[in-house]
Amino acid sequence: MSTGFFDLIFNIRPDAAEYPDQFVRWGPVASPLYLTVEDILKGRVQPTATDLYFGPALHAEPSGHRENAIGASVAWCDYDGDTPATPLIRPSAVVASGGPNRHHFYWALDRWVEPDELEDINKCLAKHLGQTGGEWDAVRILRVPGTINTKYSPAKPVKLIAVTHGEPYSPDDLKKLGPVPKGLLNVEKGKSRSERDYALARLLLHWNLPED
């Protein structure tokens, strides 16, 4: 199991005095367990099952109900698009979940966010990548890298493509993201890439993102 991946996912946690119990949903959809973050980060569990999932958001009780969610330190998008995704803001981690163009993108945040704000950010990221489904909810579960997705025949591995331990992102900046105009990143034959670059710069300025 990639502890580097989970180190990123659970990099920031809420005040233990306010939330002494902090559970992670883990396991198959039909029979989940509720583990502690330390169970995962210290390698006390291994992703040996097929179709294994986890919840990036923490829970105050060993239950997957929305009212028990306490927030997360990453935002995400479960991308099931018809074409490859092109996020303009580089994800902190990318997981290939098995099918064509099926990816889970994660963005590390520079502060803890509670469920309502987390869902606002996830909705913006979904729109940014052209997703229209409801994968933004705070209690979403996602496949664990290093396991097997049996939804396909033959079964497909769930692969960790990249983990970037760079600067985390401001939740306020991610909430400014909007849809990327179709074809923005393409360069027409015979034209300079500068036209694309200027269009991209104007879009980022329109979203009022900071220079960095």
Side-chain angles (χ1 to χ4, degrees):
M1 181 173 63
S2 175
T3 55
F5 172 74
F6 287 108
D7 284 338
L8 183 144
I9 298 297
F10 301 117
N11 181 51
I12 301 173
R13 283 179 267 169
D15 187 348
E18 184 176 3
Y19 295 106
D21 296 317
Q22 301 174 17
F23 294 97
V24 178
R25 181 173 174 176
W26 180 275
V29 172
S31 54
L33 303 172
Y34 289 88
L35 309 175
T36 68
V37 176
E38 285 73 20
D39 287 334
I40 296 172
L41 296 183
K42 294 182 179 180
R44 296 172 186 157
V45 292
Q46 294 295 325
T48 56
T50 58
D51 296 317
L52 183 67
Y53 295 81
F54 83 104
L58 297 181
H59 296 254
E61 302 287 342
S63 165
H65 294 301
R66 171 64 165 72
E67 59 266 27
N68 290 320
I70 56 178
S73 61
V74 294
W76 63 84
C77 180
D78 181 356
Y79 182 80
D80 290 342
D82 295 326
T83 58
T86 54
L88 298 186
I89 306 300
R90 184 182 183 185
S92 306
V94 179
V95 174
S97 60
N101 300 322
R102 282 6 185 206
H103 290 87
H104 300 158
F105 298 102
Y106 298 88
W107 288 264
L109 305 176
D110 62 9
R111 62 177 171 84
W112 179 261
V113 294
E114 295 185 351
D116 288 345
E117 185 175 15
L118 171 64
E119 291 180 348
D120 288 343
I121 300 167
N122 286 350
K123 287 177 185 177
C124 290
L125 290 167
K127 290 178 182 178
H128 179 65
L129 291 174
Q131 290 290 92
T132 58
E135 296 83 1
W136 42 261
D137 57 295
V139 292
R140 170 66 44 176
I141 55 174
L142 301 165
R143 291 183 182 273
V144 177
T147 61
I148 301 296
N149 181 342
T150 62
K151 185 170 69 174
Y152 301 96
S153 182
K156 303 291 186 182
V158 180
K159 297 181 179 179
L160 179 62
I161 302 301
V163 173
T164 303
H165 291 281
E167 289 294 322
Y169 293 100
S170 161
D172 295 328
D173 288 343
L174 294 182
K175 284 186 283 187
K176 295 174 184 176
L177 295 176
V180 179
K182 187 175 181 180
L184 176 73
L185 300 181
N186 297 335
V187 179
E188 295 182 24
K189 186 176 181 180
K191 290 193 173 182
S192 167
R193 290 196 301 271
S194 296
E195 293 185 37
R196 186 252 343 251
D197 296 342
Y198 281 124
L200 174 58
R202 286 195 298 271
L203 180 63
L204 297 177
L205 287 171
H206 172 72
W207 289 336
N208 197 30
L209 293 174
E211 289 187 6
D212 56 350

